[in-house]
Amino acid sequence: MREMPQELISSERIKQRVRELGEEITSDYAGSDLVMVGILKGAFVVMADLVRSVELPARIDFMAVSSYGMDTKSTGVVSIVKDLDLDIRGRDLLVVEDIVDSGLTLDFLLRSLKAREPASLSLFALLDKVEARKVPVEIKYRGFEVPNRFIVGYGLDYAEKYRELPYIGVLEEQKG
Ligand code: IMP
Ligand code: MG
């Protein structure tokens, strides 16, 4: 049997926070040409909830990046394994990420998206592991600050498991 995580943020609190941030985005982007880009795989759950809380005719797209390996630590060596389908030039881009940890993945991704000349570029991150940051990343819409522990659930995985949990939890420290 697998080890079950200890709950950190309940599914009710997540729903409430996503709804609040959705309302903020709705008023901030009224009348703009909004494209919401979810970063796979981790952001697929929050993306599904967030797009339904934003009451705007937004376009939806996804990108997948990989930092090498199935390890729990980011290397900063990032490659785009699935690119956007949409052209973002001149549009208002909102990148939707599950968690910002070291910030290395987002730093790379935001630079490469900026080079495509969107009208604006902002970041939504459900979780901010602020103590783990190695490079600064500006998060415009932030769900929750989390401790420097390994987080799973609500889209986030450990070795491709736990993504389906409706809440956010922490795994006990891995031995060895
Ligand atoms: P960063 O480059 O270190 O900011 O993290 C990049 C990616 O690693 C995130 O988008 C997540 O997919 C993953 N990640 C970082 N920390 C965690 C965690 O605590 N649990 C699950 N995935 C994580
Ligand atoms: Mg991710």
Side-chain angles (χ1 to χ4, degrees):
M1 229 190 67
R2 68 176 176 176
E3 179 201 344
M4 289 311 285
Q6 179 197 332
E7 184 175 295
L8 201 64
I9 307 168
S10 70
S11 110
E12 288 68 27
R13 281 181 69 207
I14 301 169
K15 277 203 189 84
Q16 173 63 27
R17 188 73 186 120
V18 170
R19 204 176 301 129
E20 284 169 10
L21 292 171
E23 284 168 12
E24 266 185 55
I25 293 166
T26 303
S27 71
D28 291 353
Y29 286 89
S32 73
D33 191 358
L34 175 62
V35 183
M36 295 173 70
V37 173
I39 308 305
L40 297 171
K41 298 177 197 172
F44 83 105
V45 178
V46 66
M47 185 70 172
D49 285 341
L50 186 65
V51 298
R52 288 177 290 177
S53 297
V54 173
E55 295 179 23
L56 294 172
R59 291 181 171 85
I60 309 299
D61 208 344
F62 289 95
M63 268 181 110
V65 295
S66 88
S67 36
Y68 294 97
M70 291 243 295
D71 210 343
T72 60
K73 287 273 175 292
S74 186
T75 56
V77 186
V78 180
S79 62
I80 295 175
V81 295
K82 186 232 171 281
D83 207 339
L84 296 174
D85 296 326
L86 300 174
D87 185 4
I88 58 169
R89 180 186 297 261
R91 292 183 168 147
D92 295 294
L93 198 63
L94 179 62
V95 172
V96 177
E97 182 55 300
D98 51 359
I99 187 167
V100 183
D101 185 304
S102 68
L104 292 166
T105 306
L106 260 300
D107 184 61
F108 165 86
L109 199 65
L110 295 177
R111 278 170 208 278
S112 88
L113 291 172
K114 216 167 266 172
R116 303 180 197 187
E117 301 179 339
S120 69
L121 175 55
S122 299
L123 175 64
F124 171 106
L126 181 68
L127 304 175
D128 184 4
K129 203 191 277 184
V130 68
E131 288 165 50
R133 199 73 86 256
K134 289 186 183 140
V135 290
V137 170
E138 192 191 331
I139 303 174
K140 184 167 182 198
Y141 305 99
R142 180 171 83 154
F144 304 93
E145 198 176 307
V146 290
N148 196 4
R149 311 256 317 262
F150 204 78
I151 311 291
V152 294
Y154 196 71
L156 289 96
D157 73 307
Y158 172 67
E160 295 301 332
K161 288 178 289 188
Y162 305 104
R163 293 192 195 276
E164 79 290 357
L165 298 178
Y167 60 92
I168 286 163
V170 289
L171 288 177
E172 294 307 314
E173 300 307 326
Q174 304 295 316
K175 305 264 182 331

